Structures are given as C-alpha cells and as structure tokens.
Amino acid sequence: MTPKKKIRFDSLTKSELSKFNDAEIQGWVIDQFCQMEWRIDNIIMDYFKPENKRVFETVVLNSSVMSIGGKLKILSNIGINKTTIGKLRELSSIRNGFAHCSIGESVTVFVSLNDEIYFESESTINVMNSSGVIIPKSAYEYVSKFLILRNELSNELP
C-alpha cells in the first residue's frame, strides 16, 4: 500500500500589506490574532500556574470553551492595564470583521468640469459597530490599524 502523500502549505512570503489578495489578508489577520491569543493564554497560564498545564491550555483556554471576551475579563482582573485591554478588544473586533465579512470593492466616479470621467476603486469591508450599524471601511486602512495595534501589543504584553 502506498502511503498517503502529506501536504505542506508554504509560509507567507509577502512583506507588504498592499501585496496581499483578499483571501490572503483575511487569513493573515486571523493567523496574527491566533498568535496574539496564544500570548494571552500564556499570560493566564503563568498567572494561575495550573498543575496540569496541558489540560488547562487545551480544555479550559480552548476557544470553543472560553471566548476571547472571557480571556480579556481574566486579564483585566489579574493586573493588565485598561489601555492594553482596550487595544486587545479593538484587535479582536477587527479580526471578527475580517473573519465574518467579505471584502468587496467600492467604486467612486469623478466627472471633471470638461466632462472627463475618472474611476477610483478601493477594497472595502462592511463591519457592524457596537450599536449594530453596518459601516463600510477601507479594507487597507482597517488591516493597517490591525497591524499597528498588533505591533503595540507585542511590545506591551510579555
């Protein structure tokens, strides 16, 4: 019997956000947030020092069991400052936008005084704010905000 061929996905090699396609940028945001959540899990584990770390991590801190909101509540009660918690909430919100919304395109038409027509297009993402209002945002500006927050948090969290 021939062994089943194993598939390995290549690592991302692009270094500029503007070079990503829609699917790559969505995947990148989700991956980067997973890495941040791993750091959050480690902070919680270091604080509580569970006897069985593997079970604590794989069961208690499993995202299917404890939401990111629950983890942030723990962080806020074990001494992580409110500014950092706010940034983590915003990072989570941006991640949710990319995870649950499609990236579309917005086209603006400009007509000059001599009736020449110009088109300008931009990738957009429609996200719901905390009041339940759907707001279109520039996908590039949204992911850029994510990158800034991720970098700030990387310096703030152990």
Side-chain angles (χ1 to χ4, degrees), residues 93-122:
S93 177
I94 295 171
R95 177 261 178 218
N96 287 342
F98 280 100
H100 300 289
C101 300
S102 296
I103 296 174
E105 190 171 348
S106 173
V107 178
T108 305
V109 179
F110 299 95
V111 179
S112 68
L113 294 174
N114 59 353
D115 291 331
E116 291 180 1
I117 299 174
Y118 301 94
F119 297 92
E120 188 177 274
S121 66
E122 177 179 42

Side-chain angles (χ1 to χ4, degrees), residues 2-131:
T2 307
K4 199 177 207 182
K5 183 178 179 187
K6 305 243 184 225
I7 304 294
R8 183 188 171 280
F9 296 109
D10 290 332
S11 296
L12 185 65
T13 57
K14 295 178 182 171
S15 59
E16 294 178 43
L17 293 177
S18 62
K19 303 290 186 209
F20 288 56
N21 67 33
D22 293 353
E24 290 170 331
I25 202 66
Q26 286 180 296
W28 181 82
V29 167
I30 292 166
D31 174 69
Q32 292 299 301
F33 190 79
C34 285
Q35 290 181 37
M36 187 61 63
E37 190 167 2
W38 177 80
R39 290 177 80 164
I40 291 166
D41 290 353
N42 281 328
I43 293 168
I44 294 170
M45 285 194 353
D46 286 346
Y47 183 84
F48 288 103
K49 298 181 186 349
E51 187 174 310
N52 190 333
K53 285 185 175 188
R54 188 177 185 311
V55 171
F56 190 82
E57 181 179 26
T58 58
V59 177
V60 177
L61 295 177
N62 187 303
S63 293
S64 298
V65 175
M66 185 181 299
S67 69
I68 190 67
K71 292 175 184 183
L72 296 181
K73 288 175 185 174
I74 290 172
L75 291 183
S76 64
N77 282 284
I78 63 172
I80 303 297
N81 72 56
K82 290 181 182 184
T83 303
T84 300
I85 299 296
K87 289 177 184 179
L88 285 165
R89 282 196 176 100
E90 189 172 0
L91 196 74
S92 176
S93 177
I94 295 171
R95 177 261 178 218
N96 287 342
F98 280 100
H100 300 289
C101 300
S102 296
I103 296 174
E105 190 171 348
S106 173
V107 178
T108 305
V109 179
F110 299 95
V111 179
S112 68
L113 294 174
N114 59 353
D115 291 331
E116 291 180 1
I117 299 174
Y118 301 94
F119 297 92
E120 188 177 274
S121 66
E122 177 179 42
S123 293
T124 58
I125 187 165
N126 293 321
V127 294
M128 187 176 292
N129 68 14
S130 59
S131 301

Side-chain angles (χ1 to χ4, degrees), residues 144-158:
S144 295
K145 177 67 175 173
F146 181 92
L147 179 59
I148 290 166
L149 287 166
R150 187 211 62 176
N151 290 343
E152 288 175 1
L153 287 162
S154 291
N155 293 326
E156 292 175 24
L157 295 175

